[in-house]
Amino acid sequence: MRATLIYGAHDVRVEDVPDAALREPTDAVVRVLRSCICGSDLWPYGSMPASEEGQRIGHEFIGIVEDAGREVSGLKSGDLVVAPFVWADNTCDFCTEGLQTSCRHGGPWGAPGVDGGQGEAVRVPQAQGTLVKLPVRQDSELMASLLTLSDVFCTGHHCAVTAGVGPRTTVTVIGDGAVGLSAVLAAKRLGAERILLMGRHKERTDLGRDFGATDVIAERGDEGIERVRELTGGDGTHTVLECVGTLPAAEMALGVARDGGVVSRVGAPQYTDMPFGFEEFWRNITLTGGVAPARAYIEELMADVLEGSIEPGRVFDRTISLDEVAGGYRAMADRQALKVLINP
Ligand SMILES: [Zn+2]
């Protein structure tokens, strides 16, 4: 079968690899129908040191179960399923607490010995806990929106949930990438009425407005902070959803938080030190967020996608075949595409 490997910065290749096959009785094999490229894939794409072996990549997919091990119940050949971006048993203590990203028997896609999502098929470890059945046919027009349950929409939702977004909270979303726009949609879904979106790309912030943003702020840094404060009577917002992952974005997040407010980060941090000192202490700022346990949210969010009340799949603005994956990475890295869907 064919699958995507990354060999280093700007070096993504689609190659023949061994067919996905059952290894453990808890495995399933899923033939991939839709996959996509994540903003977080762009970090290794931008900076990974060159390697001889290459590494499988991709962690978002929908597919059809082709085979299931003898310890997998509730799934059978032919089922349409979505996989969250971390596999997990969904039964250990962390999973039971809704933190499947810390599962005692789980792990990431593309790790040594584990397939990546950007390929023709995937061996899914802990299949019974990991996979969620989709009650639609594979020609459903909801496929793109259902694919966002793998990662991007669940990540935006996690950001809003950990920040405590609700009908009485004002919200600033930092970042007009697919996660930022998903966070806007999630905040709106949770009842927020005032959602300020910080982003500079008009076609993206326009989608953000469709998703529920009430104000768009194109300025960044101190100017951006000042603009948000102007729009909020000088105070900033109760909640800040930081969906970029850079230090300037984190600094901006602290700057636009209202005293007593919450900053939640879901952009994978590309820095180690954050200015979280006496000033933030004095202002009673809470810092939260982290990697999203997508598996904890899939059923709840899927219900709204199936009902048609939300359409998170609108973040996809380009569809490519598996053989075009290198170009898809380039397009996302160059900001030519917001989020690329792969139809292998
Ligand atoms: Zn677990």
Side-chain angles (χ1 to χ4, degrees):
M1 68 171 206
R2 312 265 293 158
T4 306
L5 289 91
I6 183 164
Y7 282 85
H10 304 104
D11 188 1
V12 168
R13 308 177 203 167
V14 175
E15 296 183 341
D16 287 316
V17 299
D19 284 343
L22 300 180
R23 204 179 294 167
E24 306 290 335
T26 44
D27 289 349
V29 171
V30 170
R31 180 167 52 84
V32 175
L33 295 178
R34 299 285 188 282
S35 179
C36 52
I37 301 172
C38 182
S40 66
D41 293 333
L42 297 181
W43 296 118
Y45 183 74
S47 65
M48 182 176 141
S51 78
E52 294 285 307
E53 300 83 30
Q55 188 184 321
R56 299 282 286 277
I57 191 166
H59 55 255
E60 299 154 278
F61 60 96
I62 280 180
I64 297 279
V65 175
E66 286 202 322
D67 202 359
R70 60 186 152 74
E71 287 177 28
V72 178
S73 67
L75 290 170
K76 59 180 190 316
S77 173
D79 284 343
L80 182 67
V81 291
V82 61
F85 70 92
V86 172
W87 45 273
D89 61 13
N90 212 26
T91 53
C92 76
D93 52 342
F94 281 120
C95 286
T96 309
E97 293 162 25
L99 202 61
Q100 285 86 344
T101 39
S102 294
C103 178
R104 294 188 190 276
H105 310 106
W109 304 108
V114 182
D115 294 333
Q118 293 162 7
E120 289 180 321
V122 175
R123 176 182 73 88
V124 177
Q126 301 293 347
Q128 185 180 324
T130 301
L131 298 171
V132 180
K133 265 204 257 191
L134 297 170
V136 298
R137 289 157 42 109
Q138 55 175 286
D139 58 358
S140 165
E141 58 189 23
L142 299 177
M143 288 287 270
S145 284
L146 292 167
L147 178 60
T148 69
L149 301 176
S150 262
D151 181 347
V152 65
F153 186 49
C154 289
T155 294
H157 177 70
H158 181 65
C159 198
V161 167
T162 50
V165 169
R168 290 194 301 280
T169 53
T170 49
V171 183
T172 302
V173 175
I174 297 179
D176 59 9
V179 174
L181 300 179
S182 298
V184 170
L185 183 62
K188 175 76 178 171
R189 178 181 170 278
L190 291 168
E193 287 175 5
R194 188 90 194 274
I195 303 170
L196 286 67
L197 172 59
M198 304 189 78
R200 297 186 300 164
H201 305 85
K202 184 163 186 308
E203 67 289 358
R204 300 182 179 191
T205 55
D206 282 350
L207 178 55
R209 285 187 194 276
D210 279 2
F211 277 173
T214 50
D215 306 81
V216 169
I217 294 97
E219 294 87 349
R220 312 165 111 186
D222 289 342
E223 269 181 84
I225 293 171
E226 192 155 325
R227 188 81 192 102
V228 169
R229 291 192 168 267
E230 271 169 25
L231 288 164
T232 52
D235 286 347
T237 56
H238 299 104
T239 61
V240 184
L241 312 185
E242 198 282 279
C243 302
V244 178
T246 61
L247 184 57
E251 289 170 343
M252 213 154 60
L254 293 171
V256 301
R258 188 177 184 273
D259 286 10
V262 182
V263 171
S264 177
R265 301 180 300 168
V266 292
Q270 303 304 303
Y271 56 89
T272 50
D273 295 322
M274 180 147 181
F276 206 71
F278 187 81
E279 185 194 332
E280 291 70 32
F281 169 81
W282 192 256
R283 296 173 54 214
N284 271 281
I285 302 297
T286 298
L287 182 61
T288 183
V291 66
R295 180 66 188 83
Y297 302 125
I298 290 178
E299 284 92 343
E300 176 193 353
L301 299 177
M302 179 169 72
D304 284 23
V305 170
L306 294 172
E307 184 195 280
S309 58
I310 51 171
E311 220 181 327
R314 291 180 65 194
V315 296
F316 294 108
D317 60 348
R318 187 172 299 192
T319 299
I320 60 171
S321 69
L322 189 57
D323 286 330
E324 297 167 321
V325 159
Y329 272 81
R330 229 171 9 248
M332 274 180 65
D334 296 344
R335 301 288 183 270
Q336 301 294 313
L338 172 56
K339 191 164 174 73
V340 172
L341 191 146
I342 303 166
N343 195 343

